[in-house]
Each structure stands twice: as structure tokens, then as C-alpha cells.
Amino acid sequence: MGNWLSQSEQTPEPGDLIEILRGGYQHWAVYVGDDDVVHVTLPPGAEGAGAASSSLMSVPTGKAMVRKQKLQEVAGDNGWKINNILDNQYRPRSPRIIVEEALRQVDTVIEYSVYTSNCEHFATNQRYGQAESRQVLDAVATHSVIAVKFFRGL
């Protein structure tokens, strides 16, 4: 999967998925070239919308904005890595199609749900035509194990 690195230590190609470490979760973006990424972030008017790369983990509106920004602006001081996470499961679309589809959605407001339509769903849908979020699946699995252990202890 690669190491968490800084911008100077990696060279993404158009269509690559970028995973950004944000503490308790990862933020996902699609690299479109010229050090730019397309990603899902706070919608206009949301608290803190001036910081376009802010967290969506607690967005109450169910809406998000697709934006194009410089990778370093989105990552900030956080580590990031190229992570084409589902390449072993799905055939990636061509880089040209990935980039065109991502750019077509820039400046649009979309539905947002941490569980069913988050930044990772957006990124994987651009690359594979399949919207999936491994971090959601991992979180659900972890909570299920905890629940089973809790109820067995009762």
C-alpha cells in the first residue's frame, strides 16, 4: 500500500487515488495532473467552508462540494500516499476518462453520507466506476466485533 510520504517523495499519475491521513480517518482525492486533485469537501455556506479541505466527518447537511485544489493545499501537514486500493479487484478506467469524469463534477454540490457517499466513495467511483469505501467497511466490521463481545459478556 505504500508509506505515508510528503509531496516531494512521490509522483502521482493522472487518475491515481490519493489517500490523505487525517488522524482518525483518511481523506481521498483523485489526482488530475499539474499537482491538482479533485475531492469532496464542505459545501458553500457550511461552517468553515473557507477551508475547502476541511473535514466532512461531521457535516450535518448531507451535502458536499466537489472541488479541484492543489494536492499540497488539501494535504496540508498530513501525510499522503498514492493508493489505488481496488486495482486488484476492479479494472481501472483509463486515466483520460477518470480525469474527465472528475473534472466534470468540479463545483457541483452532491449528496453526502459518511456511510454511503463519502470522499472515498467518490474517488473509487471515478477510478473504477464502483463507489466503495474500505474505511467504512472496516469501521462496520470493527463495531460488529465490539458489539458481539459486549453482548456475549452480558
Side-chain angles (χ1 to χ4, degrees), residues 1 4-5 12 15 19 34 76-77 83-85 89-90 100 114 116 133 146 148 153:
M1 292 277 190
W4 298 103
L5 303 170
E19 183 179 12
D34 297 323
D77 293 333
N83 189 358
N84 297 318
I85 189 168
Q89 186 172 348
Y90 301 113
E100 284 177 3
V114 168
T116 61
S133 176
I146 291 169
V148 167

Side-chain angles (χ1 to χ4, degrees), residues 105-152:
Q105 296 180 67
V106 169
D107 294 331
T108 61
V109 175
I110 62 172
E111 293 298 316
Y112 180 85
S113 164
V114 168
Y115 303 107
T116 61
S117 186
N118 65 35
C119 59
E120 186 178 1
H121 289 104
F122 174 82
T124 58
N125 193 47
Q126 303 315 299
R127 184 166 176 87
Y128 308 106
Q130 300 286 329
E132 293 191 20
S133 176
R134 292 298 166 106
Q135 66 185 329
V136 168
L137 294 174
D138 290 347
V140 168
T142 299
H143 287 109
S144 296
V145 168
I146 291 169
V148 167
K149 288 181 179 181
F150 173 79
F151 286 114
R152 282 186 179 165

Side-chain angles (χ1 to χ4, degrees), residues 1-153:
M1 292 277 190
N3 296 320
W4 298 103
L5 303 170
S6 70
Q7 184 177 21
S8 63
E9 298 169 312
Q10 303 184 75
T11 306
E13 298 292 327
D16 279 340
L17 300 185
I18 306 297
E19 183 179 12
I20 303 163
L21 184 61
R22 291 269 175 89
Y25 72 101
Q26 287 75 40
H27 184 64
W28 290 81
V30 178
Y31 187 79
V32 295
D34 297 323
D35 296 323
D36 289 326
V37 295
V38 174
H39 68 121
V40 174
T41 187
L42 295 171
E47 187 174 329
S53 59
S54 296
S55 169
L56 278 167
M57 292 304 285
S58 60
V59 172
T61 65
K63 300 286 184 191
M65 173 70 85
V66 178
R67 298 187 195 269
K68 181 175 100 171
Q69 292 180 270
K70 294 295 181 192
L71 173 55
Q72 196 56 48
E73 181 181 344
V74 176
D77 293 333
N78 298 300
W80 63 269
K81 65 182 176 180
I82 299 165
N83 189 358
N84 297 318
I85 189 168
L86 300 175
D87 277 9
N88 291 331
Q89 186 172 348
Y90 301 113
R91 182 176 176 206
R93 301 190 306 175
S94 77
R96 181 184 60 80
I97 297 294
I98 296 167
V99 170
E100 284 177 3
E101 290 291 322
L103 290 174
R104 184 177 303 135
Q105 296 180 67
V106 169
D107 294 331
T108 61
V109 175
I110 62 172
E111 293 298 316
Y112 180 85
S113 164
V114 168
Y115 303 107
T116 61
S117 186
N118 65 35
C119 59
E120 186 178 1
H121 289 104
F122 174 82
T124 58
N125 193 47
Q126 303 315 299
R127 184 166 176 87
Y128 308 106
Q130 300 286 329
E132 293 191 20
S133 176
R134 292 298 166 106
Q135 66 185 329
V136 168
L137 294 174
D138 290 347
V140 168
T142 299
H143 287 109
S144 296
V145 168
I146 291 169
V148 167
K149 288 181 179 181
F150 173 79
F151 286 114
R152 282 186 179 165

